[in-house]
Amino acid sequence: MNKIFLKNFFNLLVNQGVNILVAIIATPILFQKLGESNFGLMNLSFSIIMLLSIIVSYGYHLNGPKRIAEINDSSSTFNFINDIISLRVLIALSLALVLVFVSINTNVFETYDDIILFS
């Protein structure tokens, strides 16, 4: 039990360390290459995409493992996981279509709609 905890702790530590290190290295390079106005637009589009990803994953990381632990049958577990993945893909595609529709038909993302669409 203690070895599993240490292994998981080390893996999460390395993961977070790499995330921070990449952000520290990539941010000045992106700022230098894009310029301050485009860097701001890129960060705004990234924030919008992150908010949409929160909508897609809302509650699944909390309730999904609990429900899976309560299921005793492996085929029921497989069906439940497929249902979760299918619903998350459906929500993601729906939000992507809404974002494309809003981006193309309105001037909300007028100056950076390409960044939003490719995000």
Side-chain angles (χ1 to χ4, degrees):
M1 182 71 169
N2 207 8
K3 288 181 182 181
I4 294 172
F5 173 77
L6 289 174
K7 180 181 174 185
N8 288 341
F9 180 78
F10 180 74
N11 287 336
L12 289 173
L13 180 73
V14 169
N15 187 10
Q16 289 299 323
V18 168
N19 286 339
I20 291 170
L21 188 64
V22 166
I24 288 172
I25 293 171
T27 301
I29 294 170
L30 282 172
F31 189 79
Q32 184 180 26
K33 296 289 183 187
L34 295 174
E36 78 181 45
S37 63
N38 288 334
F39 183 76
L41 293 175
M42 188 206 64
N43 273 336
L44 177 61
S45 5
F46 180 69
S47 298
I48 291 169
I49 299 302
M50 289 305 295
L51 288 172
L52 293 177
S53 72
I54 290 170
I55 292 171
V56 170
S57 65
Y58 182 73
Y60 290 116
H61 65 284
L62 297 175
N63 294 328
K66 179 185 173 201
R67 297 262 319 262
I68 289 172
E70 292 172 350
I71 298 173
N72 294 327
D73 184 24
S74 64
S75 65
S76 297
T77 304
F78 181 74
N79 289 336
F80 180 70
I81 292 171
N82 280 338
D83 289 344
I84 288 177
I85 292 172
S86 300
L87 187 58
R88 287 181 72 177
V89 167
L90 179 67
I91 293 170
L93 288 175
S94 300
L95 287 174
L97 288 175
V98 167
L99 189 63
V100 167
F101 179 78
V102 168
S103 180
I104 290 173
N105 293 321
T106 66
N107 292 331
V108 175
F109 308 120
E110 179 178 349
T111 58
Y112 57 100
D113 59 345
D114 290 339
I115 297 172
I116 291 280
L117 292 176
F118 286 108
S119 293

